[in-house]
Amino acid sequence: MKLLFIGDIVGQPGRRAVAELLPKLRQQHTLDFVIANGENSAGGSGITPKTAGEIFSAGVDAITSGDHLWDQKEVMELLQNEKRFLRPLNYPPGTPGQGSAIFRCSVEPVARKTGEMPPVAVLNVQGRTFMPPLENPFLLALDEVKRLREQTKIIFVDFHAEATSEKIAFARMLDGQVSAVVGTHTHVQTADEQIFPGGTAYLSDAGFTGPHESVLGREIEPVLKRFLTNMPQRFEVAKNRVLLNGAVIDIDDATGKAVKIQRISESFA
Ligand SMILES: [Fe+2]
Ligand SMILES: [Fe+2]
């Protein structure tokens, strides 16, 4: 099966790029399933039922998140009611929402030559290096993957983390046990896509989907001013050179191992 992962969708420009480009990408890559990180989809900070609804309507099957989870209070509704929305697994016990889910079909079914789509598990985990402290992502992911593997071998992991060392170590730990580990959070796409010896596809960071004439999706001037003066600034979402960044992963249905990983960076406006 073929799966597309879309890196952090930033604001309205990011949401528009997904809506406009995804139908074409679905066809071009004969995608079976689409996952997107939506933590910056509401004005660059957080996610709401409205922005999540737009992303799902564009043809995304599952939305992951990260440290910007709590930026919009309406996220509570998503955490409580939306089964296709994931938050990092390693929040303390009792936190609303879920860190993983198993999907049995795609919102936009495609004619598959290989028959019915196998169940796809999606897992969202957050790193701890240069990030707010959460429960140990390594220990929790090991247990969760063991549990998910009882239901499917096709497991995609969005590891939302800052440090490449933490990302690589985490993915190496899961090599052979999950189909892919793709990093998010830095908003900078890395060029280290590879398949580890055990069959796990890996990319340190998918990059972000939104305006790249920017600092990580925000207007350049206020960010620069903050670095120059240390005074708080309003960071508006930038506008120009919108890219959809992510990766397409080809997975063997029978073994759950990755066959190919290809980075994508599609220009929209
Ligand atoms: Fe983040
Ligand atoms: Fe982000």
Side-chain angles (χ1 to χ4, degrees):
M1 69 167 306
K2 265 179 140 185
L3 177 158
L4 167 67
F5 179 70
I6 301 172
D8 305 32
I9 299 170
V10 176
Q12 198 253 6
R15 302 196 308 271
R16 271 191 62 205
V18 174
E20 295 287 328
L21 295 175
L22 189 49
K24 191 193 79 175
L25 290 169
R26 276 249 181 205
Q27 277 207 323
Q28 187 187 335
H29 295 280
T30 55
L31 299 172
D32 298 297
F33 198 77
V34 181
I35 304 155
N37 185 302
E39 72 150 8
N40 305 107
S41 62
S45 299
I47 183 164
T48 63
K50 186 184 155 283
T51 62
E54 258 184 60
I55 295 167
F56 287 131
S57 308
V60 170
D61 298 292
I63 301 179
T64 55
S65 59
D67 56 313
H68 283 287
L69 180 66
W70 307 106
D71 291 359
Q72 307 284 338
K73 62 179 188 302
E74 298 97 312
V75 75
M76 209 46 116
E77 199 185 311
L78 284 173
L79 289 168
Q80 282 162 349
N81 303 321
E82 180 52 78
K83 294 282 166 259
R84 298 169 293 172
F85 177 67
L86 303 179
R87 53 131 172 103
L89 173 79
N90 47 333
Y91 275 96
T95 306
Q98 58 274 322
S100 72
I102 293 180
F103 297 81
R104 293 188 192 277
C105 60
S106 162
V107 291
E108 246 177 87
V110 280
R112 285 169 53 87
K113 289 193 198 87
T114 46
E116 220 173 281
M117 191 186 94
V120 180
V122 181
L123 170 60
N124 191 187
V125 187
Q126 189 169 308
R128 296 199 296 186
T129 307
F130 313 126
M131 305 275 289
L134 291 179
E135 307 288 336
N136 189 316
F138 290 77
L139 293 175
L140 286 180
L142 276 179
D143 277 355
E144 190 70 359
V145 165
K146 203 184 277 174
R147 200 182 66 81
L148 293 170
R149 278 181 72 83
E150 286 166 13
Q151 297 178 70
T152 181
K153 284 179 179 160
I154 299 182
I155 304 174
F156 176 88
V157 187
D158 170 356
F159 189 41
H160 196 76
E162 178 74 36
T164 46
S165 58
E166 190 179 19
K167 288 171 155 172
I168 295 166
F170 178 87
R172 287 283 180 179
M173 176 186 78
L174 294 178
D175 182 23
Q177 297 178 65
V178 302
S179 309
V181 177
V182 176
T184 53
H185 176 70
T186 70
H187 289 206
V188 177
Q189 189 176 73
T190 56
D192 61 338
E193 72 275 24
Q194 60 197 288
I195 295 174
F196 290 151
T200 296
Y202 177 71
L203 175 64
S204 286
D205 208 292
F208 79 96
T209 295
H212 281 66
E213 202 50 41
S214 70
V215 178
L216 310 184
R218 307 308 183 103
E219 291 287 5
I220 298 164
E221 277 307 312
V223 177
L224 183 52
K225 203 165 167 191
R226 165 123 135 227
F227 278 113
L228 285 167
T229 66
N230 277 359
M231 280 155 58
Q233 303 290 326
R234 241 191 126 77
F235 295 161
E236 302 289 351
V237 172
K239 293 178 185 68
N240 299 324
R241 198 159 62 86
V242 179
L243 301 177
L244 185 155
N245 277 348
V248 175
I249 299 147
D250 208 331
I251 300 163
D252 183 315
D253 282 10
T255 63
K257 292 184 190 300
V259 178
K260 193 180 164 193
I261 175 166
Q262 180 194 349
R263 264 184 298 132
I264 61 160
S265 187
E266 293 282 321
S267 108
F268 167 59

